[in-house]
Amino acid sequence: MDKIAMLKEILGMNPNDAFARYGLAMEYAGRGEVENALTEFDTLATAHPDYTAGYFMAAQTLAKVERTEEAKARLALGIASARRTGNQHALSEMQAMLDDLELGI
């Protein structure tokens, strides 16, 4: 069984499993299936608005396909999440990425 099938099976048993949802989004992103990945990142953000890594990885997925404005929007949401949860490391990483995108780097 491949990873996507396994993660879907887990989510079939527990659709609210944040780690499995994040894993599924990451698998799709790794395969270049951007829209599927974004759908899973959106589902994750809706159910778990403070799963900060989801915003960062969604932004990276968008940036790779040159959807810069959408990436910036995800980063803004992720930065807000990082502030709410006190995740300084994620906050600094996302702020650095946002700064780079705004500079066109």
Side-chain angles (χ1 to χ4, degrees):
M1 178 180 296
D2 76 348
K3 288 182 183 179
I4 288 180
M6 181 184 65
L7 290 163
K8 284 183 174 183
E9 184 175 315
I10 292 167
L11 289 167
M13 292 183 283
N14 181 8
N16 209 30
D17 184 321
F19 187 71
R21 183 75 57 195
Y22 176 78
L24 181 58
M26 293 299 294
E27 282 298 315
Y28 281 133
R31 293 181 183 195
E33 296 181 35
V34 174
E35 293 308 319
N36 287 334
L38 293 174
T39 296
E40 297 304 330
F41 284 128
D42 287 343
T43 301
L44 176 64
T46 299
H48 303 279
D50 288 329
Y51 201 99
T52 305
Y55 299 102
F56 188 38
M57 297 312 296
Q60 288 184 347
T61 300
L62 287 161
K64 283 181 185 175
V65 294
E66 298 180 3
R67 291 168 59 177
T68 305
E69 293 306 313
E70 292 172 81
K72 289 181 194 178
R74 296 291 175 125
L75 289 168
L77 294 170
I79 288 167
S81 172
R83 284 189 176 125
R84 283 192 305 274
T85 61
N87 188 336
Q88 290 301 106
H89 180 73
L91 176 61
S92 66
E93 284 188 330
M94 285 188 285
Q95 186 61 59
M97 183 179 176
L98 181 59
D99 292 345
D100 287 348
L101 289 174
E102 287 177 345
L103 293 171
I105 297 174

XYZ file of all heavy atoms in Angstrom:
800
model
N 0.850 -1.182 0.000
C 0.000 0.000 0.000
C 0.895 1.244 0.000
O 1.821 1.335 0.790
C -0.890 -0.024 1.254
C -1.782 1.183 1.378
S -2.837 1.193 2.846
C -3.882 -0.204 2.582
N 0.616 2.174 -0.890
C 1.436 3.378 -0.917
C 1.016 4.336 0.203
O -0.005 4.140 0.864
C 1.402 4.038 -2.297
C 0.121 4.796 -2.598
O -0.877 4.655 -1.867
O 0.112 5.555 -3.577
N 1.827 5.365 0.400
C 1.598 6.283 1.519
C 0.268 7.012 1.416
O -0.416 7.205 2.425
C 2.737 7.289 1.631
C 4.022 6.703 2.140
C 5.091 7.771 2.265
C 6.397 7.163 2.703
N 7.456 8.183 2.810
N -0.093 7.441 0.210
C -1.361 8.154 0.051
C -2.531 7.255 0.423
O -3.427 7.663 1.160
C -1.492 8.744 -1.367
C -0.529 9.939 -1.484
C -2.931 9.157 -1.660
C -0.522 10.636 -2.814
N -2.519 6.031 -0.033
C -3.592 5.088 0.304
C -3.639 4.834 1.807
O -4.725 4.792 2.402
C -3.406 3.782 -0.463
N -2.482 4.689 2.409
C -2.424 4.453 3.847
C -2.987 5.646 4.624
O -3.779 5.478 5.553
C -0.978 4.186 4.272
C -0.814 3.902 5.756
S 0.922 3.698 6.222
C 1.563 5.332 5.893
N -2.579 6.848 4.234
C -3.061 8.048 4.931
C -4.558 8.245 4.729
O -5.266 8.642 5.660
C -2.270 9.275 4.473
C -0.819 9.288 4.943
C 0.000 10.284 4.133
C -0.734 9.592 6.429
N -5.058 7.944 3.537
C -6.496 8.030 3.293
C -7.261 7.024 4.147
O -8.359 7.310 4.627
C -6.805 7.821 1.815
C -6.495 9.026 0.959
C -6.907 8.769 -0.477
C -6.749 10.003 -1.322
N -7.220 9.770 -2.707
N -6.672 5.865 4.325
C -7.309 4.849 5.178
C -7.388 5.356 6.621
O -8.416 5.218 7.278
C -6.528 3.541 5.101
C -7.175 2.403 5.870
C -6.442 1.087 5.683
O -6.081 0.758 4.541
O -6.248 0.393 6.708
N -6.305 5.937 7.109
C -6.295 6.498 8.463
C -7.355 7.590 8.583
O -8.117 7.640 9.553
C -4.896 7.049 8.823
C -3.892 5.903 8.957
C -4.947 7.886 10.105
C -2.445 6.341 8.999
N -7.407 8.471 7.582
C -8.387 9.553 7.608
C -9.812 9.041 7.466
O -10.745 9.670 7.963
C -8.057 10.590 6.532
C -6.813 11.413 6.832
C -6.365 12.184 5.594
C -7.046 12.349 8.017
N -9.981 7.908 6.807
C -11.302 7.281 6.734
C -11.793 6.856 8.107
O -12.990 6.934 8.398
N -10.877 6.438 8.944
C -11.225 6.038 10.309
C -11.354 7.246 11.231
O -12.152 7.234 12.156
C -10.172 5.066 10.858
C -10.170 3.729 10.163
S -8.973 2.572 10.877
C -7.451 3.206 10.180
N -10.525 8.271 10.983
C -10.541 9.470 11.816
C -10.253 10.689 10.949
O -9.107 11.108 10.814
C -9.524 9.363 12.955
C -9.515 10.579 13.852
O -10.371 11.465 13.737
N -8.548 10.649 14.747
N -11.296 11.274 10.348
C -11.090 12.397 9.436
C -10.484 13.632 10.103
O -9.999 14.529 9.432
C -12.492 12.717 8.911
C -13.398 11.679 9.430
C -12.667 10.874 10.442
N -10.482 13.661 11.418
C -9.964 14.818 12.149
C -8.516 14.617 12.619
O -8.015 15.396 13.418
C -10.879 15.130 13.337
C -10.865 16.591 13.692
O -10.666 17.449 12.846
N -11.083 16.874 14.960
N -7.844 13.601 12.110
C -6.456 13.325 12.489
C -5.540 14.333 11.789
O -5.280 14.235 10.591
C -6.082 11.899 12.087
C -4.691 11.479 12.535
O -3.754 12.308 12.479
O -4.546 10.312 12.932
N -5.090 15.326 12.538
C -4.297 16.424 11.969
C -2.987 15.928 11.378
O -2.576 16.375 10.297
C -4.032 17.488 13.036
N -2.326 15.021 12.057
C -1.034 14.534 11.574
C -1.192 13.781 10.253
O -0.405 13.974 9.320
C -0.369 13.655 12.632
C 1.025 13.262 12.283
C 2.058 14.191 12.307
C 1.327 11.958 11.919
C 3.361 13.833 11.965
C 2.624 11.586 11.581
C 3.634 12.526 11.606
N -2.224 12.944 10.141
C -2.458 12.204 8.897
C -2.858 13.163 7.777
O -2.417 13.004 6.629
C -3.530 11.142 9.102
N -3.666 14.175 8.082
C -4.074 15.153 7.071
C -2.860 15.920 6.559
O -2.687 16.120 5.362
C -5.097 16.112 7.675
C -5.649 17.131 6.726
C -6.647 16.578 5.759
N -7.766 15.951 6.420
C -8.641 15.148 5.818
N -8.525 14.905 4.527
N -9.631 14.588 6.483
N -1.987 16.336 7.484
C -0.760 17.036 7.108
C 0.128 16.120 6.260
O 0.667 16.528 5.233
C -0.025 17.490 8.370
C 1.301 18.149 8.126
C 1.372 19.467 7.701
C 2.492 17.456 8.335
C 2.590 20.090 7.482
C 3.719 18.066 8.121
C 3.761 19.377 7.696
O 4.976 19.988 7.476
N 0.243 14.875 6.669
C 1.043 13.908 5.923
C 0.521 13.702 4.512
O 1.300 13.624 3.552
N -0.805 13.643 4.366
C -1.400 13.467 3.049
C -1.115 14.686 2.170
O -0.725 14.546 1.007
C -2.910 13.233 3.175
C -3.673 13.007 1.873
C -3.116 11.815 1.092
C -5.159 12.816 2.177
N -1.264 15.868 2.738
C -0.957 17.095 1.992
C 0.501 17.099 1.541
O 0.810 17.446 0.393
C -1.260 18.324 2.848
N 1.391 16.701 2.433
C 2.813 16.676 2.102
C 3.125 15.642 1.027
O 3.970 15.889 0.155
C 3.643 16.415 3.362
C 3.587 17.544 4.374
S 4.225 19.096 3.730
C 5.944 18.651 3.498
N 2.475 14.494 1.071
C 2.678 13.477 0.032
C 2.252 14.012 -1.324
O 2.966 13.847 -2.314
C 1.918 12.190 0.365
C 2.590 11.335 1.409
C 3.963 10.847 0.976
O 4.133 10.392 -0.184
O 4.884 10.905 1.801
N 1.088 14.646 -1.363
C 0.637 15.235 -2.626
C 1.617 16.308 -3.104
O 1.957 16.362 -4.284
C -0.757 15.843 -2.483
C -1.893 14.845 -2.532
C -2.914 14.894 -1.594
C -1.976 13.883 -3.538
C -3.985 14.010 -1.643
C -3.035 12.990 -3.586
C -4.033 13.059 -2.638
O -5.083 12.180 -2.701
N 2.057 17.160 -2.191
C 3.000 18.223 -2.566
C 4.285 17.620 -3.119
O 4.822 18.089 -4.124
C 3.296 19.120 -1.367
N 4.776 16.577 -2.475
C 5.996 15.919 -2.917
C 5.876 15.292 -4.289
O 6.863 15.161 -5.007
N 4.680 14.922 -4.665
C 4.434 14.325 -5.984
C 4.097 15.385 -7.035
O 3.811 15.043 -8.174
C 3.285 13.324 -5.892
C 3.615 12.101 -5.070
C 2.461 11.138 -5.039
N 2.768 10.002 -4.185
C 2.082 8.871 -4.175
N 1.040 8.727 -4.973
N 2.414 7.900 -3.371
N 4.074 16.639 -6.595
C 3.753 17.713 -7.535
C 2.270 17.881 -7.793
O 1.878 18.583 -8.719
N 1.443 17.245 -6.984
C -0.011 17.348 -7.119
C -0.490 18.539 -6.285
O -1.064 18.384 -5.207
C -0.687 16.053 -6.690
C -0.317 14.872 -7.575
C -1.005 13.583 -7.166
O -2.176 13.637 -6.712
O -0.366 12.522 -7.291
N -0.232 19.731 -6.809
C -0.419 20.968 -6.060
C -1.865 21.155 -5.605
O -2.117 21.470 -4.437
C 0.059 22.187 -6.890
C -0.266 23.497 -6.196
C 1.551 22.069 -7.157
N -2.819 20.987 -6.489
C -4.225 21.234 -6.120
C -4.696 20.255 -5.046
O -5.404 20.656 -4.113
C -5.133 21.208 -7.346
C -4.869 22.350 -8.307
C -4.864 23.739 -7.659
O -5.722 24.020 -6.798
O -3.979 24.542 -8.030
N -4.302 18.984 -5.168
C -4.657 18.011 -4.129
C -4.011 18.394 -2.803
O -4.645 18.299 -1.741
C -4.249 16.598 -4.531
C -5.139 16.022 -5.601
O -6.295 16.396 -5.747
N -4.595 15.097 -6.382
N -2.759 18.809 -2.858
C -2.066 19.222 -1.638
C -2.773 20.407 -0.995
O -3.013 20.418 0.216
C -0.609 19.577 -1.940
N -3.125 21.395 -1.799
C -3.771 22.594 -1.253
C -5.142 22.275 -0.663
O -5.526 22.840 0.366
C -3.873 23.674 -2.319
C -2.532 24.243 -2.776
C -2.730 25.195 -3.939
C -1.799 24.924 -1.630
N -5.847 21.361 -1.284
C -7.138 20.933 -0.727
C -6.941 20.354 0.666
O -7.695 20.671 1.602
C -7.812 19.898 -1.658
O -8.097 20.545 -2.902
C -9.092 19.355 -1.056
N -5.927 19.522 0.824
C -5.670 18.912 2.136
C -5.159 19.950 3.141
O -5.556 19.931 4.312
C -4.697 17.743 2.009
C -5.224 16.599 1.167
C -6.551 16.028 1.635
O -6.854 16.048 2.850
O -7.312 15.553 0.764
N -4.308 20.876 2.696
C -3.866 21.940 3.600
C -5.048 22.802 4.038
O -5.129 23.207 5.208
C -2.791 22.818 2.933
C -1.430 22.200 2.865
C -0.740 22.136 1.655
C -0.788 21.703 3.999
C 0.534 21.587 1.581
C 0.483 21.142 3.939
C 1.147 21.095 2.722
N -5.989 23.065 3.123
C -7.183 23.848 3.474
C -8.036 23.109 4.499
O -8.531 23.715 5.455
C -8.019 24.151 2.232
C -7.387 25.191 1.325
O -6.474 25.921 1.778
O -7.810 25.270 0.156
N -8.226 21.814 4.286
C -9.004 21.007 5.230
C -8.336 21.017 6.601
O -9.003 21.158 7.634
C -9.159 19.568 4.703
O -9.804 19.619 3.432
C -9.964 18.703 5.654
N -7.024 20.898 6.607
C -6.261 20.935 7.854
C -6.452 22.273 8.567
O -6.725 22.318 9.770
C -4.780 20.691 7.566
C -3.825 20.781 8.757
C -4.118 19.703 9.784
C -2.389 20.693 8.262
N -6.338 23.376 7.822
C -6.455 24.705 8.421
C -7.855 24.950 8.977
O -8.009 25.598 10.023
C -6.090 25.776 7.405
N -8.855 24.432 8.305
C -10.232 24.600 8.779
C -10.453 23.854 10.094
O -11.020 24.403 11.039
C -11.229 24.113 7.708
O -11.040 24.911 6.533
C -12.655 24.230 8.185
N -9.992 22.622 10.150
C -10.202 21.790 11.342
C -9.230 22.115 12.466
O -9.564 21.969 13.644
C -10.091 20.310 10.968
N -8.030 22.546 12.107
C -6.966 22.788 13.095
C -6.262 24.104 12.749
O -5.139 24.095 12.220
C -5.956 21.637 13.088
C -6.573 20.304 13.348
N -6.863 19.868 14.611
C -6.989 19.332 12.487
C -7.422 18.663 14.531
N -7.509 18.326 13.258
N -6.903 25.237 13.034
C -6.340 26.526 12.610
C -4.981 26.863 13.227
O -4.294 27.754 12.722
C -7.406 27.540 13.015
C -8.289 26.840 13.974
C -8.180 25.377 13.701
N -4.588 26.146 14.246
C -3.287 26.410 14.851
C -2.260 25.326 14.553
O -1.250 25.201 15.241
C -3.430 26.647 16.357
C -4.069 27.995 16.642
O -3.876 28.931 15.841
O -4.760 28.111 17.658
N -2.480 24.554 13.501
C -1.468 23.609 13.018
C -0.561 24.403 12.087
O -0.689 24.391 10.856
C -2.131 22.427 12.295
C -1.263 21.202 12.203
C -1.430 20.153 13.110
C -0.284 21.083 11.236
C -0.636 19.008 13.023
C 0.513 19.946 11.148
C 0.329 18.920 12.046
O 1.120 17.791 11.968
N 0.342 25.135 12.701
C 1.128 26.166 12.031
C 1.930 25.642 10.852
O 2.022 26.310 9.811
C 2.059 26.845 13.058
O 1.241 27.317 14.146
C 2.805 28.000 12.466
N 2.482 24.472 10.962
C 3.308 23.927 9.876
C 2.529 23.801 8.573
O 3.100 23.934 7.490
C 3.873 22.575 10.278
N 1.235 23.585 8.655
C 0.425 23.457 7.459
C 0.444 24.714 6.600
O 0.508 24.638 5.376
N 0.392 25.865 7.244
C 0.423 27.127 6.504
C 1.774 27.311 5.805
O 1.832 27.735 4.650
C 0.187 28.313 7.437
C -1.144 28.290 8.134
C -1.241 27.899 9.464
C -2.308 28.682 7.473
C -2.457 27.897 10.120
C -3.530 28.675 8.126
C -3.595 28.276 9.450
O -4.809 28.275 10.095
N 2.838 27.007 6.534
C 4.185 27.189 5.999
C 4.412 26.287 4.793
O 4.900 26.720 3.749
C 5.209 26.932 7.100
C 6.631 27.263 6.738
C 6.944 28.361 5.960
C 7.665 26.484 7.209
C 8.265 28.669 5.640
C 8.986 26.783 6.906
C 9.286 27.880 6.114
N 4.014 25.025 4.929
C 4.232 24.089 3.830
C 3.304 24.393 2.655
O 3.693 24.222 1.499
C 4.070 22.653 4.315
C 5.110 22.265 5.373
S 6.824 22.700 4.948
C 7.086 21.679 3.523
N 2.100 24.871 2.924
C 1.215 25.294 1.833
C 1.850 26.464 1.087
O 1.830 26.510 -0.148
C -0.161 25.672 2.371
N 2.418 27.397 1.827
C 3.080 28.552 1.207
C 4.267 28.101 0.364
O 4.466 28.599 -0.753
C 3.530 29.541 2.272
N 5.051 27.163 0.866
C 6.178 26.660 0.092
C 5.704 25.961 -1.182
O 6.307 26.122 -2.244
C 7.030 25.716 0.935
C 7.825 26.437 1.998
C 8.750 25.506 2.766
O 8.638 24.293 2.688
N 9.653 26.089 3.523
N 4.622 25.205 -1.080
C 4.056 24.520 -2.243
C 3.625 25.542 -3.288
O 3.902 25.378 -4.482
C 2.861 23.644 -1.804
O 3.329 22.665 -0.855
C 2.221 22.940 -2.990
N 2.975 26.596 -2.847
C 2.531 27.651 -3.764
C 3.713 28.402 -4.379
O 3.705 28.704 -5.568
C 1.609 28.619 -3.027
C 0.213 28.068 -2.722
C -0.449 28.866 -1.612
C -0.635 28.056 -3.985
N 4.711 28.688 -3.576
C 5.875 29.423 -4.074
C 6.605 28.623 -5.149
O 7.092 29.202 -6.129
C 6.816 29.770 -2.926
N 6.660 27.316 -4.999
C 7.353 26.470 -5.989
C 6.713 26.558 -7.361
O 7.390 26.364 -8.370
C 7.363 25.010 -5.527
C 8.381 24.720 -4.461
C 8.359 23.260 -4.080
C 9.300 23.007 -2.916
N 9.214 21.611 -2.445
N 5.417 26.821 -7.394
C 4.732 26.925 -8.686
C 4.433 28.389 -9.029
O 3.559 28.691 -9.836
C 3.452 26.051 -8.739
C 3.815 24.575 -8.673
C 2.462 26.435 -7.662
N 5.197 29.273 -8.403
C 5.170 30.713 -8.681
C 3.809 31.358 -8.465
O 3.426 32.284 -9.166
C 5.708 30.980 -10.088
C 7.157 30.527 -10.228
C 7.745 30.777 -11.600
O 7.063 31.357 -12.469
O 8.905 30.387 -11.793
N 3.086 30.870 -7.471
C 1.818 31.481 -7.067
C 2.114 32.331 -5.830
O 1.662 32.048 -4.732
C 0.771 30.398 -6.842
C 0.371 29.741 -8.162
C -0.433 28.473 -8.031
N -1.680 28.599 -7.318
C -2.537 27.583 -7.162
N -2.282 26.398 -7.718
N -3.651 27.750 -6.482
N 2.892 33.364 -6.067
C 3.493 34.157 -4.997
C 2.465 34.854 -4.118
O 2.609 34.850 -2.887
C 4.465 35.193 -5.601
O 5.404 34.486 -6.417
C 5.205 35.950 -4.534
N 1.467 35.463 -4.698
C 0.487 36.195 -3.887
C -0.275 35.246 -2.967
O -0.533 35.569 -1.808
C -0.465 37.008 -4.768
C 0.223 38.150 -5.485
C 0.993 39.092 -4.566
O 0.449 39.512 -3.521
O 2.163 39.413 -4.880
N -0.605 34.072 -3.478
C -1.273 33.075 -2.644
C -0.336 32.585 -1.538
O -0.775 32.358 -0.409
C -1.740 31.898 -3.488
C -2.861 32.234 -4.447
C -3.151 31.083 -5.387
O -3.861 30.148 -4.972
O -2.640 31.121 -6.530
N 0.929 32.423 -1.860
C 1.913 32.012 -0.849
C 2.007 33.055 0.255
O 2.041 32.710 1.438
C 3.270 31.784 -1.496
N 2.027 34.319 -0.119
C 2.084 35.393 0.878
C 0.859 35.362 1.790
O 0.981 35.555 3.004
C 2.177 36.755 0.193
C 3.495 37.041 -0.467
C 3.411 38.437 -1.074
C 4.500 38.746 -2.046
N 4.334 40.090 -2.644
N -0.299 35.107 1.207
C -1.529 35.038 2.010
C -1.461 33.888 3.009
O -1.854 34.037 4.177
C -2.741 34.889 1.098
N -0.941 32.742 2.578
C -0.797 31.592 3.498
C 0.193 31.925 4.610
O -0.007 31.551 5.760
C -0.324 30.340 2.763
C -1.257 29.804 1.738
C -2.514 29.205 2.347
N -3.404 28.816 1.276
C -3.898 27.606 1.136
N -3.620 26.657 1.993
N -4.704 27.338 0.119
N 1.258 32.612 4.249
C 2.249 32.986 5.257
C 1.645 33.933 6.280
O 1.922 33.803 7.478
C 3.475 33.605 4.599
C 4.353 32.618 3.827
C 5.365 33.359 2.983
C 5.041 31.636 4.779
N 0.822 34.867 5.848
C 0.184 35.790 6.791
C -0.685 35.018 7.782
O -0.652 35.292 8.996
C -0.642 36.828 6.042
N -1.428 34.035 7.283
C -2.240 33.199 8.177
C -1.354 32.377 9.112
O -1.664 32.218 10.297
C -3.144 32.277 7.359
C -4.236 32.959 6.538
C -4.884 31.961 5.586
C -5.269 33.597 7.454
N -0.269 31.856 8.581
C 0.655 31.060 9.390
C 1.343 31.885 10.460
O 1.533 31.416 11.588
N 1.705 33.099 10.120
C 2.337 33.986 11.097
C 1.359 34.287 12.230
O 1.738 34.264 13.413
C 2.855 35.260 10.403
C 4.093 34.918 9.562
C 3.157 36.364 11.411
C 4.522 36.001 8.596
N 0.109 34.513 11.894
C -0.911 34.744 12.930
C -1.061 33.514 13.824
O -1.150 33.631 15.052
C -2.241 35.112 12.283
N -1.054 32.332 13.215
C -1.136 31.086 13.980
C 0.071 30.929 14.896
O -0.064 30.562 16.067
C -1.234 29.893 13.027
O -1.129 28.681 13.721
N 1.251 31.202 14.368
C 2.477 31.081 15.170
C 2.450 32.045 16.357
O 2.879 31.695 17.455
C 3.703 31.333 14.300
N 1.928 33.224 16.137
C 1.812 34.189 17.242
C 0.838 33.691 18.302
O 1.114 33.793 19.496
C 1.381 35.550 16.711
C 2.496 36.289 16.022
C 2.114 37.734 15.697
N 3.257 38.413 15.118
C 3.255 39.038 13.951
N 2.136 39.127 13.241
N 4.349 39.600 13.501
N -0.313 33.157 17.859
C -1.313 32.647 18.810
C -0.751 31.522 19.670
O -1.071 31.405 20.843
C -2.546 32.125 18.070
C -3.482 33.168 17.567
C -4.816 32.569 17.116
N -4.714 31.520 16.125
C -4.643 31.715 14.810
N -4.655 32.936 14.315
N -4.580 30.683 13.973
N 0.075 30.683 19.042
C 0.577 29.500 19.745
C 1.943 29.719 20.388
O 2.464 28.827 21.046
C 0.653 28.300 18.785
O 1.547 28.613 17.717
C -0.718 27.955 18.233
N 2.532 30.889 20.156
C 3.844 31.176 20.729
C 4.983 30.418 20.064
O 6.031 30.205 20.678
N 4.808 30.036 18.816
C 5.819 29.264 18.092
C 6.785 30.236 17.404
O 6.622 30.577 16.240
C 5.144 28.332 17.081
C 6.102 27.375 16.432
O 7.305 27.622 16.361
N 5.571 26.273 15.928
N 7.782 30.662 18.129
C 8.727 31.669 17.633
C 9.560 31.166 16.463
O 9.875 31.923 15.548
C 9.647 32.146 18.757
C 8.937 32.983 19.800
C 8.283 34.222 19.206
O 7.084 34.305 19.060
N 9.080 35.196 18.842
N 9.923 29.896 16.491
C 10.733 29.334 15.405
C 9.969 29.396 14.083
O 10.489 29.876 13.075
C 11.138 27.899 15.734
C 11.966 27.262 14.664
N 13.280 27.609 14.438
C 11.650 26.325 13.736
C 13.743 26.896 13.420
N 12.772 26.111 12.980
N 8.733 28.907 14.100
C 7.914 28.944 12.884
C 7.655 30.383 12.457
O 7.697 30.696 11.261
C 6.592 28.217 13.108
N 7.413 31.237 13.417
C 7.177 32.648 13.120
C 8.363 33.244 12.373
O 8.195 33.895 11.341
C 6.903 33.428 14.407
C 6.740 34.932 14.287
C 5.568 35.302 13.400
C 6.586 35.554 15.655
N 9.575 32.995 12.872
C 10.752 33.583 12.225
C 10.984 32.994 10.836
O 11.346 33.719 9.902
C 11.998 33.426 13.101
O 12.364 32.082 13.237
N 10.753 31.693 10.663
C 10.922 31.067 9.348
C 9.925 31.615 8.335
O 10.280 31.916 7.200
C 10.769 29.552 9.444
C 11.963 28.845 10.044
C 11.845 27.340 9.934
O 10.710 26.805 9.937
O 12.890 26.688 9.831
N 8.670 31.753 8.763
C 7.653 32.243 7.839
C 7.848 33.724 7.529
O 7.644 34.151 6.386
C 6.254 31.974 8.397
C 5.873 30.512 8.282
S 4.175 30.165 8.719
C 4.271 30.298 10.498
N 8.279 34.492 8.521
C 8.533 35.903 8.270
C 9.688 36.072 7.282
O 9.636 36.911 6.392
C 8.832 36.652 9.564
C 8.955 38.155 9.385
C 7.674 38.796 8.867
O 6.633 38.694 9.500
N 7.741 39.444 7.714
N 10.710 35.246 7.417
C 11.843 35.301 6.488
C 11.403 34.950 5.070
O 11.805 35.611 4.097
C 12.957 34.364 6.948
N 10.563 33.941 4.939
C 10.074 33.567 3.614
C 9.211 34.684 3.036
O 9.330 35.019 1.851
C 9.283 32.261 3.668
C 8.815 31.798 2.308
S 7.917 30.227 2.416
C 7.427 30.055 0.709
N 8.343 35.257 3.859
C 7.499 36.361 3.407
C 8.352 37.544 2.950
O 8.101 38.122 1.888
C 6.548 36.780 4.523
C 5.574 37.913 4.193
C 4.688 37.555 3.006
C 4.734 38.229 5.421
N 9.386 37.863 3.716
C 10.283 38.960 3.339
C 10.940 38.671 1.990
O 11.016 39.558 1.132
C 11.355 39.165 4.403
C 10.805 39.695 5.722
O 9.654 40.176 5.748
O 11.531 39.624 6.735
N 11.398 37.430 1.793
C 12.012 37.048 0.525
C 11.036 37.181 -0.639
O 11.373 37.684 -1.707
C 12.554 35.625 0.577
C 13.818 35.490 1.417
O 14.413 36.529 1.785
O 14.192 34.331 1.708
N 9.797 36.715 -0.425
C 8.803 36.801 -1.490
C 8.474 38.248 -1.824
O 8.290 38.596 -2.990
C 7.529 36.045 -1.092
C 7.624 34.529 -1.065
C 6.346 33.930 -0.509
C 7.934 33.959 -2.437
N 8.425 39.080 -0.813
C 8.108 40.487 -1.054
C 9.251 41.193 -1.789
O 9.013 42.137 -2.538
C 7.765 41.191 0.250
C 6.394 40.769 0.757
C 6.000 41.369 2.083
O 6.861 41.906 2.796
O 4.804 41.277 2.415
N 10.476 40.698 -1.593
C 11.615 41.255 -2.306
C 11.822 40.613 -3.681
O 12.711 41.020 -4.440
C 12.901 41.082 -1.476
C 12.968 41.878 -0.183
C 14.175 41.452 0.635
C 13.001 43.375 -0.485
N 11.021 39.612 -3.970
C 11.145 38.925 -5.255
C 12.288 37.946 -5.323
O 12.779 37.616 -6.398
N 12.721 37.463 -4.179
C 13.858 36.531 -4.113
C 13.366 35.103 -4.318
O 12.407 34.673 -3.793
C 14.599 36.652 -2.752
C 15.185 38.038 -2.633
C 15.669 35.579 -2.632
C 15.815 38.332 -1.296
